[in-house]
Amino acid sequence: MTVPICDTRSGCITCGDEGVAMRILELAQDGAVCVDEAGTRHEVAIDLVGSVALGDRVLVHAGVAIGTVA
């Protein structure tokens, strides 16, 4: 059995995605609506990040905010 080698330079070993910085447009009880740099809106889970506000930037991977961006 071969074990895949994780190469962080090429993205997530599970899905191939990379984290994307997005700005929060709307906050809801179950997540947020964010916009990426291309202007595309996304529904994002924000359970893993602390308190966030409208206009904050978050790093999103696979539809989940995994951190805030300064």
Side-chain angles (χ1 to χ4, degrees):
M1 176 168 122
T2 9
V3 177
I5 298 171
C6 185
D7 180 0
T8 57
R9 292 171 293 167
S10 63
C12 174
I13 195 167
T14 304
C15 63
D17 285 344
E18 296 178 358
V20 177
M22 296 187 189
R23 185 166 309 280
I24 296 177
L25 295 179
E26 301 172 22
L27 290 170
Q29 208 168 0
D30 58 345
V33 175
C34 297
V35 63
D36 62 25
E37 290 183 8
T40 306
R41 295 167 65 103
H42 303 269
E43 290 186 20
V44 174
I46 55 173
D47 304 57
L48 298 180
V49 294
S51 179
V52 290
L54 296 178
D56 284 356
R57 290 176 34 139
V58 290
L59 184 63
V60 178
H61 172 75
V64 178
I66 58 174
T68 56
V69 179

